Amino acid sequence: PPPPSSPPLSPPSPPSPPPPSPPPPSPPPPSPPPPSPPPRQCVTSSRTYASCAADTYSWNPATSRYEAPSANRQICSNGKCQRLGWNCGGGHYGYTTTTCAECPAPPPPPSPSLPPSSPPSPLVPPLPPAPPSTPELALPTLDNYTRIYRDGDSVADLTSLTYRTDAIIRMTAKTNTTFELINFVPVDLEDVEIVMSFYGGPQNVSVGRIDSLPAHAVFELEFPFVTFPDREFTDQDGVAVDLANYGSGIPIAHGGVRAGQECWSNSAARCRDDGDTPCDWCGGSDWFCCSATWSYTSSDNCHRDNVVFYSAEGNHRCAKKGVHLSFDYRGTSTTMQRLASQERSVVFEPEGLRLEQ
């Protein structure tokens, strides 16, 4: 018999394919571009007021400001010169232009003979509080303001003014809550800072700033501390000053009907006690018959710190008790600085106007 047949052999299984390779890693994200460098690394300031030009300023990329730590000053991008660390939108010492300057030399390296020491951790001082800002004084609509001179004015009109000036700007109290502001020069004045001093109280307080004061304009404005009774103001050294006590007005010694009139020899007045008692003829209990040239003690009613004189004459005239205010102004414009340096006064004469050195 034939031998039994062998079972058929199965074909060999194909080999398993290798596992897929992992995808290549993603490239790292691009680095952000470096910040743009400032136009210049070190500058000097054109503003000499309040030590703004006392040292060279270096660019600080952390604050984006030019800073002079040795002078405690900084220059903001808007051109304001301030104390170091102040808010660029707040109070300032005026605007400045900058000039490129050579940066100070770095300190010399330590001596190689000494072992290197670890630098101490820098102490970051806290930023000082932002100073109170000087309020901008809003002027009335330009179509409504008065001018002291106009084209076509007669000589009689020009010489009929009852006051004289030896300054660029004149300010005087009008009421308990308002003051008069006059620009005597025939050009607009920019960035005018109004400064006030109170007898026996705060001195040289910056109470307001006017962006542009029109030529020959006359304004009557409310005292800023009446408009903003809760605001803190600053003096010329940047120190905060509280004027809340004057928020409802100031008892100014306004002139009466007989202010500055002769009251000693006048047969209707005959006030001859040299201010010991009020002179009713002058105006009432706050009026005294005083001489602007006599010497009085500080306790006398007629002492110049106790009354307002309406005449500089030596004979006795009606004077009134009241708070003494004095005004001053600052300006950063070239026009104001040039006019102030000339120290001239306007003289009114029947023939016209002339400048007197």
Side-chain angles (χ1 to χ4, degrees):
S5 58
S6 299
L9 299 176
S10 300
S13 300
S16 300
S21 300
S26 301
S31 301
S36 300
R40 43 197 181 271
Q41 291 294 333
C42 296
V43 297
T44 55
S45 168
S46 64
R47 179 73 167 144
T48 58
Y49 176 68
S51 301
C52 288
D55 201 357
T56 300
Y57 293 77
S58 300
W59 178 258
N60 186 344
T63 60
S64 298
R65 302 171 187 173
Y66 288 105
E67 298 179 353
S70 62
N72 195 24
R73 294 291 181 267
Q74 67 183 20
I75 300 176
C76 299
S77 59
N78 56 10
K80 289 181 178 180
C81 172
Q82 301 175 312
R83 284 190 179 180
L84 190 64
W86 277 10
N87 179 3
C88 284
H92 58 95
Y93 298 121
Y95 291 88
T96 179
T97 57
T98 56
T99 303
C100 187
E102 183 178 354
C103 292
S111 172
S113 60
L114 299 176
S117 59
S118 301
S121 300
L123 298 178
V124 180
L127 293 178
S133 59
T134 302
E136 294 284 345
L137 299 188
L139 299 180
T141 305
L142 295 185
D143 293 337
N144 296 333
Y145 70 86
T146 304
R147 287 186 184 270
I148 54 176
Y149 314 118
R150 290 185 299 273
D151 291 342
D153 283 349
S154 66
V155 172
D157 289 335
L158 291 175
T159 57
S160 66
L161 299 176
T162 58
Y163 48 75
R164 299 293 185 263
T165 175
D166 57 359
I168 300 172
I169 296 173
R170 173 185 180 268
M171 290 169 285
T172 184
K174 293 289 287 184
T175 70
N176 287 6
T177 58
T178 63
F179 68 100
E180 183 181 67
L181 171 66
I182 302 178
N183 177 8
F184 276 108
V185 295
V187 292
D188 294 353
L189 300 177
E190 300 81 23
D191 195 22
V192 179
E193 181 183 4
I194 306 301
V195 179
M196 292 180 60
S197 295
F198 303 78
Y199 174 75
Q203 302 293 304
N204 298 319
V205 182
S206 179
V207 298
R209 188 178 297 276
I210 297 174
D211 180 61
S212 179
L213 181 61
H216 285 168
V218 182
F219 292 102
E220 185 170 345
L221 304 175
E222 190 172 60
F223 289 121
F225 43 82
V226 174
T227 308
F228 307 100
D230 298 327
R231 180 189 290 269
E232 279 192 343
F233 297 84
T234 58
D235 63 17
Q236 293 299 285
D237 294 325
V239 178
V241 177
D242 185 4
L243 299 180
N245 290 338
Y246 306 109
S248 58
I250 301 178
I252 304 297
H254 305 301
V257 175
R258 292 169 176 164
Q261 293 189 20
E262 203 282 329
C263 50
W264 184 283
S265 301
N266 188 323
S267 59
R270 300 188 67 81
C271 296
R272 296 185 173 182
D273 59 4
D274 218 21
D276 286 345
T277 59
C279 180
D280 291 335
W281 182 86
C282 285
S285 60
D286 291 335
W287 290 87
F288 298 88
C289 190
C290 307
S291 168
T293 60
W294 282 29
S295 177
Y296 298 97
T297 65
S298 59
S299 60
D300 288 336
N301 290 320
C302 286
H303 189 270
R304 65 179 58 256
D305 291 334
N306 300 328
V307 292
V308 174
F309 292 97
Y310 300 93
S311 171
E313 298 292 334
N315 53 356
H316 284 65
R317 294 175 179 265
C318 295
K320 188 179 182 182
K321 273 200 166 184
V323 173
H324 285 256
L325 288 178
S326 62
F327 293 85
D328 200 356
Y329 56 89
R330 308 280 189 271
T332 58
S333 69
T334 303
T335 300
M336 288 192 70
Q337 295 172 358
R338 178 171 56 83
L339 291 171
S341 66
Q342 293 179 2
E343 296 182 353
R344 294 180 175 183
S345 60
V346 180
V347 179
F348 301 89
E349 296 180 336
E351 296 79 14
L353 305 177
R354 66 182 174 86
L355 288 177
E356 185 176 76
Q357 188 71 36

PDB file of all heavy atoms in Angstrom, residues 56-70:
ATOM      1  N   THR A  56      23.123 115.439  34.668  1.00  0.00           N
ATOM      2  CA  THR A  56      22.815 114.725  33.429  1.00  0.00           C
ATOM      3  C   THR A  56      21.801 113.620  33.702  1.00  0.00           C
ATOM      4  O   THR A  56      21.876 112.938  34.725  1.00  0.00           O
ATOM      5  CB  THR A  56      24.108 114.131  32.841  1.00  0.00           C
ATOM      6  OG1 THR A  56      25.031 115.197  32.576  1.00  0.00           O
ATOM      7  CG2 THR A  56      23.818 113.385  31.545  1.00  0.00           C
ATOM      8  N   TYR A  57      20.857 113.438  32.780  1.00  0.00           N
ATOM      9  CA  TYR A  57      19.834 112.413  32.898  1.00  0.00           C
ATOM     10  C   TYR A  57      20.223 111.190  32.071  1.00  0.00           C
ATOM     11  O   TYR A  57      20.757 111.318  30.955  1.00  0.00           O
ATOM     12  CB  TYR A  57      18.479 112.925  32.397  1.00  0.00           C
ATOM     13  CG  TYR A  57      17.874 114.021  33.229  1.00  0.00           C
ATOM     14  CD1 TYR A  57      18.331 115.336  33.138  1.00  0.00           C
ATOM     15  CD2 TYR A  57      16.833 113.756  34.113  1.00  0.00           C
ATOM     16  CE1 TYR A  57      17.771 116.350  33.912  1.00  0.00           C
ATOM     17  CE2 TYR A  57      16.263 114.769  34.885  1.00  0.00           C
ATOM     18  CZ  TYR A  57      16.744 116.060  34.773  1.00  0.00           C
ATOM     19  OH  TYR A  57      16.180 117.045  35.526  1.00  0.00           O
ATOM     20  N   SER A  58      19.945 109.998  32.595  1.00  0.00           N
ATOM     21  CA  SER A  58      20.187 108.745  31.887  1.00  0.00           C
ATOM     22  C   SER A  58      18.857 108.047  31.643  1.00  0.00           C
ATOM     23  O   SER A  58      17.942 108.108  32.472  1.00  0.00           O
ATOM     24  CB  SER A  58      21.107 107.825  32.701  1.00  0.00           C
ATOM     25  OG  SER A  58      22.357 108.442  32.931  1.00  0.00           O
ATOM     26  N   TRP A  59      18.743 107.371  30.523  1.00  0.00           N
ATOM     27  CA  TRP A  59      17.514 106.661  30.159  1.00  0.00           C
ATOM     28  C   TRP A  59      17.332 105.420  31.035  1.00  0.00           C
ATOM     29  O   TRP A  59      18.260 104.626  31.209  1.00  0.00           O
ATOM     30  CB  TRP A  59      17.565 106.245  28.691  1.00  0.00           C
ATOM     31  CG  TRP A  59      16.363 105.464  28.248  1.00  0.00           C
ATOM     32  CD1 TRP A  59      16.269 104.120  28.062  1.00  0.00           C
ATOM     33  CD2 TRP A  59      15.075 105.999  27.949  1.00  0.00           C
ATOM     34  NE1 TRP A  59      15.013 103.781  27.657  1.00  0.00           N
ATOM     35  CE2 TRP A  59      14.250 104.912  27.585  1.00  0.00           C
ATOM     36  CE3 TRP A  59      14.541 107.279  27.955  1.00  0.00           C
ATOM     37  CZ2 TRP A  59      12.921 105.081  27.220  1.00  0.00           C
ATOM     38  CZ3 TRP A  59      13.222 107.445  27.584  1.00  0.00           C
ATOM     39  CH2 TRP A  59      12.426 106.354  27.233  1.00  0.00           C
ATOM     40  N   ASN A  60      16.154 105.269  31.610  1.00  0.00           N
ATOM     41  CA  ASN A  60      15.813 104.101  32.423  1.00  0.00           C
ATOM     42  C   ASN A  60      14.774 103.281  31.658  1.00  0.00           C
ATOM     43  O   ASN A  60      13.602 103.677  31.574  1.00  0.00           O
ATOM     44  CB  ASN A  60      15.255 104.532  33.778  1.00  0.00           C
ATOM     45  CG  ASN A  60      15.018 103.342  34.712  1.00  0.00           C
ATOM     46  OD1 ASN A  60      14.988 102.187  34.271  1.00  0.00           O
ATOM     47  ND2 ASN A  60      14.852 103.625  35.993  1.00  0.00           N
ATOM     48  N   PRO A  61      15.160 102.137  31.068  1.00  0.00           N
ATOM     49  CA  PRO A  61      14.184 101.362  30.280  1.00  0.00           C
ATOM     50  C   PRO A  61      13.060 100.794  31.136  1.00  0.00           C
ATOM     51  O   PRO A  61      11.992 100.474  30.616  1.00  0.00           O
ATOM     52  CB  PRO A  61      15.050 100.256  29.658  1.00  0.00           C
ATOM     53  CG  PRO A  61      16.243 100.141  30.554  1.00  0.00           C
ATOM     54  CD  PRO A  61      16.489 101.515  31.078  1.00  0.00           C
ATOM     55  N   ALA A  62      13.276 100.651  32.460  1.00  0.00           N
ATOM     56  CA  ALA A  62      12.216 100.089  33.310  1.00  0.00           C
ATOM     57  C   ALA A  62      11.065 101.068  33.481  1.00  0.00           C
ATOM     58  O   ALA A  62       9.911 100.658  33.643  1.00  0.00           O
ATOM     59  CB  ALA A  62      12.792  99.704  34.672  1.00  0.00           C
ATOM     60  N   THR A  63      11.352 102.368  33.471  1.00  0.00           N
ATOM     61  CA  THR A  63      10.307 103.372  33.660  1.00  0.00           C
ATOM     62  C   THR A  63      10.022 104.177  32.392  1.00  0.00           C
ATOM     63  O   THR A  63       9.074 104.948  32.354  1.00  0.00           O
ATOM     64  CB  THR A  63      10.708 104.357  34.771  1.00  0.00           C
ATOM     65  OG1 THR A  63      11.942 105.007  34.395  1.00  0.00           O
ATOM     66  CG2 THR A  63      10.901 103.628  36.091  1.00  0.00           C
ATOM     67  N   SER A  64      10.870 103.984  31.353  1.00  0.00           N
ATOM     68  CA  SER A  64      10.742 104.743  30.102  1.00  0.00           C
ATOM     69  C   SER A  64      10.815 106.249  30.368  1.00  0.00           C
ATOM     70  O   SER A  64      10.047 107.029  29.815  1.00  0.00           O
ATOM     71  CB  SER A  64       9.441 104.380  29.366  1.00  0.00           C
ATOM     72  OG  SER A  64       9.435 103.021  29.002  1.00  0.00           O
ATOM     73  N   ARG A  65      11.744 106.634  31.232  1.00  0.00           N
ATOM     74  CA  ARG A  65      11.933 108.042  31.543  1.00  0.00           C
ATOM     75  C   ARG A  65      13.429 108.332  31.642  1.00  0.00           C
ATOM     76  O   ARG A  65      14.235 107.427  31.907  1.00  0.00           O
ATOM     77  CB  ARG A  65      11.266 108.423  32.871  1.00  0.00           C
ATOM     78  CG  ARG A  65       9.782 108.153  32.923  1.00  0.00           C
ATOM     79  CD  ARG A  65       9.243 108.358  34.328  1.00  0.00           C
ATOM     80  NE  ARG A  65       7.848 107.953  34.433  1.00  0.00           N
ATOM     81  CZ  ARG A  65       7.169 107.893  35.569  1.00  0.00           C
ATOM     82  NH1 ARG A  65       7.757 108.220  36.702  1.00  0.00           N
ATOM     83  NH2 ARG A  65       5.908 107.518  35.576  1.00  0.00           N
ATOM     84  N   TYR A  66      13.774 109.582  31.454  1.00  0.00           N
ATOM     85  CA  TYR A  66      15.127 110.025  31.757  1.00  0.00           C
ATOM     86  C   TYR A  66      15.187 110.385  33.236  1.00  0.00           C
ATOM     87  O   TYR A  66      14.322 111.100  33.742  1.00  0.00           O
ATOM     88  CB  TYR A  66      15.509 111.239  30.906  1.00  0.00           C
ATOM     89  CG  TYR A  66      15.755 110.907  29.457  1.00  0.00           C
ATOM     90  CD1 TYR A  66      14.833 111.224  28.473  1.00  0.00           C
ATOM     91  CD2 TYR A  66      16.931 110.257  29.082  1.00  0.00           C
ATOM     92  CE1 TYR A  66      15.057 110.911  27.144  1.00  0.00           C
ATOM     93  CE2 TYR A  66      17.168 109.941  27.751  1.00  0.00           C
ATOM     94  CZ  TYR A  66      16.234 110.269  26.783  1.00  0.00           C
ATOM     95  OH  TYR A  66      16.468 109.957  25.484  1.00  0.00           O
ATOM     96  N   GLU A  67      16.204 109.897  33.942  1.00  0.00           N
ATOM     97  CA  GLU A  67      16.265 110.074  35.390  1.00  0.00           C
ATOM     98  C   GLU A  67      17.648 110.581  35.804  1.00  0.00           C
ATOM     99  O   GLU A  67      18.663 110.199  35.222  1.00  0.00           O
ATOM    100  CB  GLU A  67      15.958 108.751  36.107  1.00  0.00           C
ATOM    101  CG  GLU A  67      14.554 108.229  35.819  1.00  0.00           C
ATOM    102  CD  GLU A  67      14.266 106.906  36.522  1.00  0.00           C
ATOM    103  OE1 GLU A  67      15.208 106.337  37.121  1.00  0.00           O
ATOM    104  OE2 GLU A  67      13.114 106.436  36.453  1.00  0.00           O
ATOM    105  N   ALA A  68      17.641 111.452  36.815  1.00  0.00           N
ATOM    106  CA  ALA A  68      18.876 111.963  37.422  1.00  0.00           C
ATOM    107  C   ALA A  68      18.752 111.779  38.930  1.00  0.00           C
ATOM    108  O   ALA A  68      18.332 112.703  39.642  1.00  0.00           O
ATOM    109  CB  ALA A  68      19.102 113.427  37.055  1.00  0.00           C
ATOM    110  N   PRO A  69      19.071 110.579  39.454  1.00  0.00           N
ATOM    111  CA  PRO A  69      18.868 110.325  40.890  1.00  0.00           C
ATOM    112  C   PRO A  69      19.622 111.298  41.790  1.00  0.00           C
ATOM    113  O   PRO A  69      19.131 111.659  42.854  1.00  0.00           O
ATOM    114  CB  PRO A  69      19.379 108.888  41.063  1.00  0.00           C
ATOM    115  CG  PRO A  69      19.257 108.270  39.692  1.00  0.00           C
ATOM    116  CD  PRO A  69      19.549 109.389  38.741  1.00  0.00           C
ATOM    117  N   SER A  70      20.800 111.748  41.388  1.00  0.00           N
ATOM    118  CA  SER A  70      21.565 112.633  42.259  1.00  0.00           C
ATOM    119  C   SER A  70      20.867 113.972  42.467  1.00  0.00           C
ATOM    120  O   SER A  70      21.057 114.628  43.488  1.00  0.00           O
ATOM    121  CB  SER A  70      22.958 112.868  41.674  1.00  0.00           C
ATOM    122  OG  SER A  70      22.864 113.507  40.414  1.00  0.00           O
TER     123      SER A  70
END
